[in-house]
Amino acid sequence: MTMMRMPRSRNRRSPWRLLLRVLAVLLLIPAVPAVAWWVYNRIDEPPSAEARKLERPGRAVPDADNAWLYLLGIGAPEGVDPVLYGRQRVDSYEAWMLEARPGADAPEFRAEDAIPEVDPDTGIDGVDALCPARDTDCLHWAAEHEHVLERLRKANALRLQRSERLLAMPDWHAVTTPSMQEPYPDAGVLALRANLLALDLHRTLARDPDRTATALERLADEVDFCRRVRAHPQDAITTLVAARRVETAQRIAASALDRLPRRTHARTEAALDRVLSPLPAPADWSETIRREYQIFAQGMSVGVPGPMGALGQCFDGTAEKGCLKTFLLNSAYARQATLNLHAR
């Protein structure tokens, strides 16, 4: 009788299969905590009450009343309303914010004004700036640089004319989405206007009380305007610029007061009181805080786009800190928890 051959056992493991299992275990040991770490860092916080408050839009101001928008467009072509020109710049910026890549330039709203401001020129005027009010008597400086100021008065005639409407506007409110790239109004025309008023005061103090009183009233108009700006400051720069304009006007008024003939005091008293009086109420800093929070949030969205955004940077070669480090940093970033902390 022929003996039957026993079949080979199927449970006998192949060396290759054993090696693959060992490798899988070795990979699984660091992978499990890594995946757990990644999942844990995907668990974010809900928006806090402080963050929700700071994310809301600011107060609404009609364009026709908004001196910020008017100043942004003060270099509009002749015959064009600066408010409309400023609004066009804002709209170009907002469109760019929706479409542009981080770091891209924005030529539409950063283009030079149709009627640019003319500043002092060392080659023409011998000076490169207007009166440095803190260490100089601006009435004396204006008398010595009369030719400079008259040239600038003529070259900036339309801007100076528009500045009178600017000072009469009732409110000041930035209407752009906050970011480090947003357009910013240049208040240089107000500095020139104050220097020209110093020249007018120098010419009229001893000879024409009525014109002296008018110049001081116009100086007071600028102080009242800057106080409206400071009542709801948009940012630290706006506040400092407005404060500097008030300080310069007060120094000019103080120099004029030193020279005023006694007989003109009654005519100039009201204007001097307007220039030299303190702020009527403390500034409301809520708008400044809101805009700073939103600039921070926008900057973090660009700088820390999250794990998928980091992978995109790895593929297109824009990961500045290296692919692995960029991915790990973005994986450990909880956006809303960071914003909640910043809001607090």
Side-chain angles (χ1 to χ4, degrees):
M1 176 181 287
T2 304
M3 295 184 63
M4 298 182 61
R5 183 176 295 177
M6 296 294 292
R8 291 182 178 180
S9 173
R10 293 186 178 183
N11 292 328
R12 188 174 180 181
R13 294 178 180 177
S14 165
W16 289 108
R17 291 182 64 187
L18 182 62
L19 179 62
L20 288 174
R21 290 192 179 190
V22 171
L23 289 175
V25 171
L26 291 176
L27 290 174
L28 193 63
I29 291 173
V32 169
V35 170
W37 172 83
W38 191 86
V39 171
Y40 175 78
N41 280 287
R42 295 299 88 217
I43 302 172
D44 207 346
E45 298 179 3
S48 65
E50 296 97 333
R52 287 196 299 269
K53 181 179 178 181
L54 292 171
E55 288 168 356
R56 295 170 191 159
R59 59 194 184 91
V61 175
D63 284 3
D65 296 337
N66 193 348
W68 183 94
L69 198 60
Y70 187 93
L71 187 58
L72 187 65
I74 201 167
E78 191 168 359
V80 176
D81 186 350
V83 170
L84 296 179
Y85 198 64
R87 172 52 70 179
Q88 289 174 4
R89 284 190 160 182
V90 169
D91 291 344
S92 294
Y93 162 77
E94 295 296 338
W96 173 80
M97 283 285 287
L98 290 174
E99 299 175 4
R101 290 173 57 85
D105 198 7
E108 296 84 3
F109 63 87
R110 294 194 184 279
E112 186 176 349
D113 288 333
I115 300 180
E117 183 174 346
V118 179
D119 296 316
D121 186 307
T122 306
I124 300 173
D125 305 314
V127 293
D128 60 359
L130 297 170
C131 173
R134 286 186 176 172
D135 55 5
T136 306
D137 183 330
C138 283
L139 269 66
H140 181 69
W141 188 95
E144 288 188 336
H145 298 85
E146 183 174 352
H147 66 287
V148 178
L149 292 174
E150 288 300 345
R151 184 183 77 84
L152 297 179
R153 189 199 299 267
K154 184 177 180 180
N156 294 283
L158 183 56
R159 281 176 167 261
L160 289 166
Q161 177 186 339
R162 287 171 170 171
S163 71
E164 301 304 320
R165 178 185 167 192
L166 171 74
L167 297 181
M169 300 182 82
D171 213 332
W172 172 275
H173 182 66
V175 295
T176 48
T177 300
S179 82
M180 297 302 293
Q181 296 284 343
E182 62 184 313
Y184 190 80
D186 183 1
V189 66
L190 297 183
L192 174 58
R193 182 181 181 276
N195 276 250
L196 290 170
L197 289 175
L199 178 61
D200 293 343
L201 286 169
H202 167 75
R203 290 171 172 173
T204 63
L205 275 171
R207 298 186 296 273
D208 194 333
D210 290 334
R211 289 181 62 189
T212 297
T214 298
L216 287 172
E217 287 167 1
R218 294 180 65 204
L219 199 63
D221 290 340
E222 181 175 334
V223 172
D224 289 343
F225 170 78
C226 290
R227 284 175 175 155
R228 289 197 296 276
V229 172
R230 294 180 67 196
H232 299 282
Q234 308 295 304
D235 51 66
I237 295 176
T238 299
T239 307
L240 291 171
V241 170
R244 183 61 186 271
R245 299 268 32 91
V246 171
E247 179 188 353
T248 299
Q250 290 178 338
R251 289 178 180 274
I252 291 172
S255 296
L257 183 59
D258 289 341
R259 296 170 170 82
L260 275 177
R262 190 178 298 274
R263 66 180 184 278
T264 64
H265 283 192
R267 299 188 188 185
T268 59
E269 183 177 2
L272 286 169
D273 283 345
R274 287 171 60 199
V275 173
L276 300 174
S277 61
L279 282 172
D284 177 5
W285 290 92
S286 59
E287 185 67 16
T288 307
I289 296 170
R290 185 187 72 85
R291 291 185 67 80
E292 194 281 332
Y293 171 84
Q294 293 185 6
I295 288 174
F296 176 83
Q298 194 267 345
M300 293 302 289
S301 296
V302 172
V304 193
M308 299 309 296
L311 287 176
Q313 291 180 0
C314 290
F315 285 118
D316 62 21
T318 59
E320 297 180 356
K321 298 180 179 180
C323 188
L324 179 60
K325 187 174 183 180
T326 298
F327 178 77
L328 291 176
L329 285 173
N330 280 269
S331 296
Y333 171 59
R335 171 180 168 78
Q336 193 57 54
T338 303
L339 296 182
N340 290 346
L341 181 63
H342 192 68
R344 191 187 317 146

